Amino acid sequence: MSATPIDGKAIAAALRARVAEETRALAARGVHPGLAVVLVGEDPASRVYVRNKAAQTVEAGMRSFEHRLPADTTQADLLALVATLNADDDVDGILVQLPLPAQIDAQTVIEAIAPDKDVDGFHPVNAGRLATGMPGLVPCTPLGAMMLIDTVRPDLSGLEAVVIGRSNIVGKPMAQLLLARSCTVTIAHSRTRDLPDVCRRADVLVAAVGRPEMVRGDWIKPGAVVIDVGINRVPNPAAEHDPAAKKTRLVGDVAFAEACAVAGAITPVPGGVGPMTIACLLANTLQAAKARRGI
Ligand code: NDP
């Protein structure tokens, strides 16, 4: 058996196209959704993310407001910028790129963002809305992962779901989304006993750990839907004999080739969950723009 690949790149492109179409329709009514992205410092990965986010925001027809602050920005200065963006009517979504430099407490900043502009969905009000089944802004990565699951297994009712990872950004909201779809959900983490055995129960297995290829083929229930959220940079073995080859490559938290032989459907890395994250950010910005205007 070979698992059906879940093409996150194509599904994300289709979502971005839908967002762009709706954005055009809003523009015709004089509404121009805007996303403000704040980057503090020079973290190279964050710079790439912010650049991609801004480019895709513009491509979708939305306004993009980029704020780049020096690495020694004080927490007070960042909070002042967030307050300005909260009050700016042209700004529908605010995203402060994480991680933040050590002098700034990320949780304080997240809590300063107006919940109706919190397009990352990290504010406790939005986390609480998700947990209590109220409409709100849902974190982009689990939202995107859920959309990918829907393409291969639309009816999840009664299925066993296992989420490995309990972060506020991925693991916990992912588990809430699966619970809302009537899965029987287990959240596994670093203290979980006999993780392989827990994973073998899963009809839907979501790995959000940050450990390269940790989930092996024999951890997977035959036919399961496997969603690999992990993005890990590892040395590229090809670079040993080919000087032209890239020194590193990206792998997920799942041993892809092994998993393919057992799973029913699986997301690749790269090209699975990753592209969905920014597409969902745009979808959240659109949702925020409409909700703020009562559309
Ligand atoms: P965190 O480091 O915040 O959380 C990792 C989780 O994995 C923790 O709950 C931790 O458990 C658990 N864990 C660590 N080691 C083990 C282990 N040996 N066995 C079982 N569980 C373990 O990471 P994030 O949630 O932020 O991200 C997870 C992964 O997803 C990363 O690779 C990240 O790069 C990727 N990611 C990808 C995104 C995308 O767009 N595709 C977006 C966001 C993240 P404990 O709580 O006990 O420490």
Side-chain angles (χ1 to χ4, degrees):
M1 194 167 81
S2 185
T4 305
I6 304 175
D7 186 349
K9 227 171 143 179
I11 296 163
L15 174 58
R16 288 199 307 274
R18 284 202 300 279
V19 169
E21 194 184 313
E22 225 184 302
T23 302
R24 273 194 299 276
L26 279 182
R29 299 166 64 173
V31 176
H32 301 279
L35 172 65
V37 179
V38 181
L39 174 64
V40 185
E42 297 291 321
D43 180 67
S46 295
R47 283 172 63 172
V48 174
Y49 291 144
V50 165
R51 201 170 51 227
N52 288 341
K53 283 168 187 172
Q56 294 190 24
T57 303
V58 172
E59 254 171 59
M62 297 183 187
R63 291 192 211 175
S64 168
F65 308 100
E66 261 182 84
H67 296 267
R68 289 167 184 268
L69 305 180
D72 61 357
T73 298
T74 64
Q75 178 164 309
D77 283 347
L78 179 56
L79 291 174
L81 173 59
V82 169
T84 307
L85 297 172
N86 282 343
D88 185 341
D89 210 37
D90 287 343
V91 173
D92 296 292
I94 302 170
L95 180 150
V96 178
Q97 184 66 46
L98 302 178
L100 289 165
Q103 74 276 13
I104 300 174
D105 177 50
Q107 192 59 30
T108 303
V109 176
I110 288 168
E111 289 180 30
I113 296 172
D116 64 341
K117 296 188 178 189
D118 167 42
V119 283
D120 253 342
F122 297 162
H123 193 287
V125 165
N126 282 315
R129 286 177 169 271
L130 179 60
T132 52
M134 292 164 69
L137 290 159
V138 175
C140 303
T141 300
L143 182 62
M146 203 65 221
M147 290 177 187
L148 295 182
I149 296 170
D150 270 330
T151 64
V152 288
R153 194 69 69 87
D155 182 9
L156 297 174
S157 179
L159 296 186
E160 291 273 349
V162 173
V163 179
I164 322 174
R166 56 174 161 179
S167 71
N168 292 336
I169 292 171
V170 190
K172 279 185 206 154
M174 186 76 236
Q176 293 289 358
L177 288 170
L178 289 161
L179 183 61
R181 297 288 296 278
S182 299
C183 288
T184 302
V185 183
T186 303
I187 307 177
H189 45 76
S190 66
R191 306 291 176 88
T192 296
R193 277 186 243 159
D194 202 354
L195 182 62
D197 223 36
V198 170
C199 291
R200 277 182 211 112
R201 295 209 294 261
D203 301 301
V204 177
L205 179 62
V206 181
V209 187
R211 293 189 178 255
E213 301 181 322
M214 182 184 85
V215 176
R216 311 308 309 186
D218 66 356
W219 297 22
I220 294 168
K221 182 174 175 178
V225 176
V226 178
I227 303 295
D228 191 350
V229 180
I231 300 178
N232 309 289
R233 200 164 274 287
V234 297
N236 184 5
E240 280 172 28
H241 1 265
D242 178 4
K246 287 194 173 152
K247 297 259 175 307
T248 58
R249 66 191 179 107
L250 290 183
V251 297
D253 291 339
V254 179
F256 185 75
E258 286 177 24
C260 269
V262 191
I266 187 166
T267 59
V269 176
V273 176
M276 292 301 288
T277 298
I278 299 186
C280 286
L281 174 67
L282 303 179
N284 276 355
T285 304
L286 183 66
Q287 181 187 325
K290 285 163 46 181
R292 288 182 59 241
R293 293 170 178 84
I295 299 174

PDB file of all heavy atoms in Angstrom, residues 141 164-167 170 189-190 195 208-211 214 229-232 273-274 277, ligand 1:
ATOM      1  N   THR A 141      -1.795  27.347  11.757  1.00  0.00           N
ATOM      2  CA  THR A 141      -1.230  26.032  11.406  1.00  0.00           C
ATOM      3  C   THR A 141      -2.229  24.901  11.668  1.00  0.00           C
ATOM      4  O   THR A 141      -2.492  24.092  10.765  1.00  0.00           O
ATOM      5  CB  THR A 141       0.109  25.815  12.139  1.00  0.00           C
ATOM      6  OG1 THR A 141       1.007  26.858  11.727  1.00  0.00           O
ATOM      7  CG2 THR A 141       0.718  24.466  11.805  1.00  0.00           C
ATOM      8  N   ILE A 164       0.536  14.685  18.714  1.00  0.00           N
ATOM      9  CA  ILE A 164       1.785  14.681  19.493  1.00  0.00           C
ATOM     10  C   ILE A 164       2.273  16.121  19.561  1.00  0.00           C
ATOM     11  O   ILE A 164       2.569  16.728  18.527  1.00  0.00           O
ATOM     12  CB  ILE A 164       2.885  13.801  18.872  1.00  0.00           C
ATOM     13  CG1 ILE A 164       2.311  12.525  18.273  1.00  0.00           C
ATOM     14  CG2 ILE A 164       3.936  13.462  19.925  1.00  0.00           C
ATOM     15  CD1 ILE A 164       3.362  11.702  17.510  1.00  0.00           C
ATOM     16  N   GLY A 165       2.327  16.666  20.766  1.00  0.00           N
ATOM     17  CA  GLY A 165       2.698  18.068  20.973  1.00  0.00           C
ATOM     18  C   GLY A 165       1.553  18.796  21.656  1.00  0.00           C
ATOM     19  O   GLY A 165       0.389  18.587  21.299  1.00  0.00           O
ATOM     20  N   ARG A 166       1.890  19.638  22.631  1.00  0.00           N
ATOM     21  CA  ARG A 166       0.844  20.349  23.390  1.00  0.00           C
ATOM     22  C   ARG A 166       1.119  21.847  23.461  1.00  0.00           C
ATOM     23  O   ARG A 166       0.810  22.509  24.452  1.00  0.00           O
ATOM     24  CB  ARG A 166       0.711  19.765  24.797  1.00  0.00           C
ATOM     25  CG  ARG A 166       2.013  19.762  25.576  1.00  0.00           C
ATOM     26  CD  ARG A 166       1.807  19.313  26.996  1.00  0.00           C
ATOM     27  NE  ARG A 166       3.057  18.887  27.602  1.00  0.00           N
ATOM     28  CZ  ARG A 166       3.191  18.453  28.845  1.00  0.00           C
ATOM     29  NH1 ARG A 166       2.141  18.396  29.626  1.00  0.00           N
ATOM     30  NH2 ARG A 166       4.361  18.082  29.316  1.00  0.00           N
ATOM     31  N   SER A 167       1.757  22.396  22.417  1.00  0.00           N
ATOM     32  CA  SER A 167       2.018  23.839  22.433  1.00  0.00           C
ATOM     33  C   SER A 167       0.710  24.602  22.232  1.00  0.00           C
ATOM     34  O   SER A 167      -0.266  24.064  21.688  1.00  0.00           O
ATOM     35  CB  SER A 167       3.015  24.222  21.333  1.00  0.00           C
ATOM     36  OG  SER A 167       2.406  24.116  20.065  1.00  0.00           O
ATOM     37  N   VAL A 170       0.246  25.036  18.228  1.00  0.00           N
ATOM     38  CA  VAL A 170      -0.155  23.935  17.342  1.00  0.00           C
ATOM     39  C   VAL A 170      -0.939  22.844  18.097  1.00  0.00           C
ATOM     40  O   VAL A 170      -2.119  22.603  17.816  1.00  0.00           O
ATOM     41  CB  VAL A 170       1.054  23.279  16.629  1.00  0.00           C
ATOM     42  CG1 VAL A 170       0.551  22.313  15.553  1.00  0.00           C
ATOM     43  CG2 VAL A 170       1.989  24.301  15.999  1.00  0.00           C
ATOM     44  N   HIS A 189       2.775  14.017  24.607  1.00  0.00           N
ATOM     45  CA  HIS A 189       3.845  15.003  24.808  1.00  0.00           C
ATOM     46  C   HIS A 189       5.080  14.282  25.319  1.00  0.00           C
ATOM     47  O   HIS A 189       5.119  13.038  25.309  1.00  0.00           O
ATOM     48  CB  HIS A 189       3.364  16.103  25.772  1.00  0.00           C
ATOM     49  CG  HIS A 189       2.649  15.553  26.966  1.00  0.00           C
ATOM     50  ND1 HIS A 189       3.314  14.968  27.995  1.00  0.00           N
ATOM     51  CD2 HIS A 189       1.317  15.425  27.221  1.00  0.00           C
ATOM     52  CE1 HIS A 189       2.429  14.542  28.877  1.00  0.00           C
ATOM     53  NE2 HIS A 189       1.207  14.798  28.434  1.00  0.00           N
ATOM     54  N   SER A 190       6.065  15.052  25.800  1.00  0.00           N
ATOM     55  CA  SER A 190       7.354  14.426  26.126  1.00  0.00           C
ATOM     56  C   SER A 190       7.264  13.466  27.318  1.00  0.00           C
ATOM     57  O   SER A 190       8.151  12.640  27.494  1.00  0.00           O
ATOM     58  CB  SER A 190       8.401  15.508  26.398  1.00  0.00           C
ATOM     59  OG  SER A 190       8.061  16.222  27.558  1.00  0.00           O
ATOM     60  N   LEU A 195       4.821   6.056  23.669  1.00  0.00           N
ATOM     61  CA  LEU A 195       4.268   6.877  22.577  1.00  0.00           C
ATOM     62  C   LEU A 195       3.949   6.057  21.315  1.00  0.00           C
ATOM     63  O   LEU A 195       2.876   6.249  20.725  1.00  0.00           O
ATOM     64  CB  LEU A 195       5.239   8.029  22.272  1.00  0.00           C
ATOM     65  CG  LEU A 195       4.812   9.005  21.196  1.00  0.00           C
ATOM     66  CD1 LEU A 195       3.523   9.733  21.589  1.00  0.00           C
ATOM     67  CD2 LEU A 195       5.916  10.044  20.951  1.00  0.00           C
ATOM     68  N   ALA A 208       3.385  17.216  15.871  1.00  0.00           N
ATOM     69  CA  ALA A 208       3.832  18.618  15.996  1.00  0.00           C
ATOM     70  C   ALA A 208       4.834  18.684  17.127  1.00  0.00           C
ATOM     71  O   ALA A 208       4.555  19.181  18.219  1.00  0.00           O
ATOM     72  CB  ALA A 208       2.642  19.542  16.255  1.00  0.00           C
ATOM     73  N   VAL A 209       6.006  18.158  16.863  1.00  0.00           N
ATOM     74  CA  VAL A 209       6.994  17.913  17.910  1.00  0.00           C
ATOM     75  C   VAL A 209       8.263  18.750  17.703  1.00  0.00           C
ATOM     76  O   VAL A 209       8.773  19.378  18.629  1.00  0.00           O
ATOM     77  CB  VAL A 209       7.378  16.408  17.941  1.00  0.00           C
ATOM     78  CG1 VAL A 209       8.267  16.111  19.143  1.00  0.00           C
ATOM     79  CG2 VAL A 209       6.156  15.517  17.951  1.00  0.00           C
ATOM     80  N   GLY A 210       8.807  18.699  16.484  1.00  0.00           N
ATOM     81  CA  GLY A 210      10.096  19.343  16.237  1.00  0.00           C
ATOM     82  C   GLY A 210      11.258  18.378  16.415  1.00  0.00           C
ATOM     83  O   GLY A 210      12.355  18.775  16.781  1.00  0.00           O
ATOM     84  N   ARG A 211      11.000  17.082  16.164  1.00  0.00           N
ATOM     85  CA  ARG A 211      12.077  16.073  16.213  1.00  0.00           C
ATOM     86  C   ARG A 211      12.110  15.317  14.893  1.00  0.00           C
ATOM     87  O   ARG A 211      11.148  14.617  14.556  1.00  0.00           O
ATOM     88  CB  ARG A 211      11.847  15.089  17.364  1.00  0.00           C
ATOM     89  CG  ARG A 211      11.993  15.772  18.676  1.00  0.00           C
ATOM     90  CD  ARG A 211      11.991  14.815  19.841  1.00  0.00           C
ATOM     91  NE  ARG A 211      12.179  15.607  21.030  1.00  0.00           N
ATOM     92  CZ  ARG A 211      13.315  15.681  21.714  1.00  0.00           C
ATOM     93  NH1 ARG A 211      14.347  14.965  21.344  1.00  0.00           N
ATOM     94  NH2 ARG A 211      13.407  16.445  22.776  1.00  0.00           N
ATOM     95  N   MET A 214      10.884  11.401  13.935  1.00  0.00           N
ATOM     96  CA  MET A 214      10.695  10.639  15.175  1.00  0.00           C
ATOM     97  C   MET A 214       9.632   9.547  15.026  1.00  0.00           C
ATOM     98  O   MET A 214       9.777   8.448  15.541  1.00  0.00           O
ATOM     99  CB  MET A 214      10.288  11.608  16.305  1.00  0.00           C
ATOM    100  CG  MET A 214      10.114  10.926  17.649  1.00  0.00           C
ATOM    101  SD  MET A 214       9.518  12.067  18.925  1.00  0.00           S
ATOM    102  CE  MET A 214       7.767  11.993  18.622  1.00  0.00           C
ATOM    103  N   VAL A 229       3.357  18.165  10.966  1.00  0.00           N
ATOM    104  CA  VAL A 229       3.499  19.616  11.124  1.00  0.00           C
ATOM    105  C   VAL A 229       4.976  20.013  11.251  1.00  0.00           C
ATOM    106  O   VAL A 229       5.359  21.137  10.956  1.00  0.00           O
ATOM    107  CB  VAL A 229       2.700  20.105  12.364  1.00  0.00           C
ATOM    108  CG1 VAL A 229       2.830  21.606  12.540  1.00  0.00           C
ATOM    109  CG2 VAL A 229       1.232  19.714  12.244  1.00  0.00           C
ATOM    110  N   GLY A 230       5.799  19.076  11.657  1.00  0.00           N
ATOM    111  CA  GLY A 230       7.201  19.375  11.965  1.00  0.00           C
ATOM    112  C   GLY A 230       7.971  19.950  10.795  1.00  0.00           C
ATOM    113  O   GLY A 230       7.772  19.550   9.649  1.00  0.00           O
ATOM    114  N   ILE A 231       8.815  20.921  11.098  1.00  0.00           N
ATOM    115  CA  ILE A 231       9.751  21.461  10.103  1.00  0.00           C
ATOM    116  C   ILE A 231      11.128  21.415  10.757  1.00  0.00           C
ATOM    117  O   ILE A 231      11.401  22.170  11.694  1.00  0.00           O
ATOM    118  CB  ILE A 231       9.396  22.910   9.714  1.00  0.00           C
ATOM    119  CG1 ILE A 231       7.989  22.980   9.112  1.00  0.00           C
ATOM    120  CG2 ILE A 231      10.426  23.458   8.722  1.00  0.00           C
ATOM    121  CD1 ILE A 231       7.552  24.387   8.748  1.00  0.00           C
ATOM    122  N   ASN A 232      11.959  20.512  10.296  1.00  0.00           N
ATOM    123  CA  ASN A 232      13.283  20.339  10.895  1.00  0.00           C
ATOM    124  C   ASN A 232      14.345  20.405   9.806  1.00  0.00           C
ATOM    125  O   ASN A 232      14.210  19.763   8.770  1.00  0.00           O
ATOM    126  CB  ASN A 232      13.372  18.964  11.573  1.00  0.00           C
ATOM    127  CG  ASN A 232      12.216  18.700  12.522  1.00  0.00           C
ATOM    128  OD1 ASN A 232      12.128  19.303  13.581  1.00  0.00           O
ATOM    129  ND2 ASN A 232      11.304  17.812  12.133  1.00  0.00           N
ATOM    130  N   VAL A 273       1.766  20.900   5.384  1.00  0.00           N
ATOM    131  CA  VAL A 273       1.129  21.871   6.282  1.00  0.00           C
ATOM    132  C   VAL A 273       1.707  23.277   6.085  1.00  0.00           C
ATOM    133  O   VAL A 273       0.975  24.269   6.176  1.00  0.00           O
ATOM    134  CB  VAL A 273       1.291  21.418   7.759  1.00  0.00           C
ATOM    135  CG1 VAL A 273       0.718  22.451   8.710  1.00  0.00           C
ATOM    136  CG2 VAL A 273       0.620  20.063   7.975  1.00  0.00           C
ATOM    137  N   GLY A 274       3.011  23.350   5.812  1.00  0.00           N
ATOM    138  CA  GLY A 274       3.694  24.648   5.722  1.00  0.00           C
ATOM    139  C   GLY A 274       2.959  25.675   4.878  1.00  0.00           C
ATOM    140  O   GLY A 274       2.630  26.766   5.366  1.00  0.00           O
ATOM    141  N   THR A 277      -0.212  27.404   6.282  1.00  0.00           N
ATOM    142  CA  THR A 277      -0.164  28.344   7.403  1.00  0.00           C
ATOM    143  C   THR A 277      -0.375  29.782   6.917  1.00  0.00           C
ATOM    144  O   THR A 277      -1.214  30.509   7.463  1.00  0.00           O
ATOM    145  CB  THR A 277       1.160  28.176   8.173  1.00  0.00           C
ATOM    146  OG1 THR A 277       1.199  26.844   8.688  1.00  0.00           O
ATOM    147  CG2 THR A 277       1.275  29.156   9.324  1.00  0.00           C
TER     148      THR A 277
HETATM  149  P1  NDP B   1       7.051  23.275  20.750  1.00  0.00           P
HETATM  150  O1  NDP B   1       8.506  23.037  20.951  1.00  0.00           O
HETATM  151  O2  NDP B   1       6.394  24.436  21.377  1.00  0.00           O
HETATM  152  O3  NDP B   1       6.262  21.957  21.220  1.00  0.00           O
HETATM  153  C1  NDP B   1       6.746  20.693  20.944  1.00  0.00           C
HETATM  154  C2  NDP B   1       5.882  19.669  21.642  1.00  0.00           C
HETATM  155  O4  NDP B   1       6.421  18.374  21.379  1.00  0.00           O
HETATM  156  C3  NDP B   1       5.841  19.826  23.165  1.00  0.00           C
HETATM  157  O5  NDP B   1       4.518  19.698  23.630  1.00  0.00           O
HETATM  158  C4  NDP B   1       6.716  18.673  23.658  1.00  0.00           C
HETATM  159  O6  NDP B   1       6.287  18.109  24.876  1.00  0.00           O
HETATM  160  C5  NDP B   1       6.535  17.656  22.579  1.00  0.00           C
HETATM  161  N1  NDP B   1       7.666  16.748  22.522  1.00  0.00           N
HETATM  162  C6  NDP B   1       8.976  17.061  22.500  1.00  0.00           C
HETATM  163  N2  NDP B   1       9.724  15.951  22.473  1.00  0.00           N
HETATM  164  C7  NDP B   1       8.866  14.909  22.492  1.00  0.00           C
HETATM  165  C8  NDP B   1       9.032  13.507  22.487  1.00  0.00           C
HETATM  166  N3  NDP B   1      10.236  12.951  22.469  1.00  0.00           N
HETATM  167  N4  NDP B   1       7.937  12.736  22.530  1.00  0.00           N
HETATM  168  C9  NDP B   1       6.708  13.289  22.551  1.00  0.00           C
HETATM  169  N5  NDP B   1       6.480  14.615  22.542  1.00  0.00           N
HETATM  170  C10 NDP B   1       7.566  15.408  22.524  1.00  0.00           C
HETATM  171  O7  NDP B   1       6.854  23.274  19.179  1.00  0.00           O
HETATM  172  P2  NDP B   1       5.652  23.859  18.270  1.00  0.00           P
HETATM  173  O8  NDP B   1       4.362  23.274  18.689  1.00  0.00           O
HETATM  174  O9  NDP B   1       5.773  25.332  18.151  1.00  0.00           O
HETATM  175  O10 NDP B   1       6.085  23.251  16.871  1.00  0.00           O
HETATM  176  C11 NDP B   1       6.170  21.849  16.647  1.00  0.00           C
HETATM  177  C12 NDP B   1       6.787  21.593  15.284  1.00  0.00           C
HETATM  178  O11 NDP B   1       5.963  22.157  14.294  1.00  0.00           O
HETATM  179  C13 NDP B   1       8.173  22.219  15.066  1.00  0.00           C
HETATM  180  O12 NDP B   1       8.929  21.375  14.209  1.00  0.00           O
HETATM  181  C14 NDP B   1       7.885  23.507  14.319  1.00  0.00           C
HETATM  182  O13 NDP B   1       8.957  23.905  13.503  1.00  0.00           O
HETATM  183  C15 NDP B   1       6.710  23.066  13.493  1.00  0.00           C
HETATM  184  N6  NDP B   1       5.818  24.166  13.108  1.00  0.00           N
HETATM  185  C16 NDP B   1       5.432  24.206  11.816  1.00  0.00           C
HETATM  186  C17 NDP B   1       4.588  25.186  11.382  1.00  0.00           C
HETATM  187  C18 NDP B   1       4.165  25.167   9.958  1.00  0.00           C
HETATM  188  O14 NDP B   1       3.777  26.188   9.428  1.00  0.00           O
HETATM  189  N7  NDP B   1       4.164  24.003   9.298  1.00  0.00           N
HETATM  190  C19 NDP B   1       4.131  26.268  12.265  1.00  0.00           C
HETATM  191  C20 NDP B   1       4.492  26.076  13.645  1.00  0.00           C
HETATM  192  C21 NDP B   1       5.338  25.064  14.031  1.00  0.00           C
HETATM  193  P3  NDP B   1       6.352  18.925  26.284  1.00  0.00           P
HETATM  194  O15 NDP B   1       5.207  19.880  26.240  1.00  0.00           O
HETATM  195  O16 NDP B   1       6.181  17.842  27.296  1.00  0.00           O
HETATM  196  O17 NDP B   1       7.683  19.592  26.322  1.00  0.00           O
END
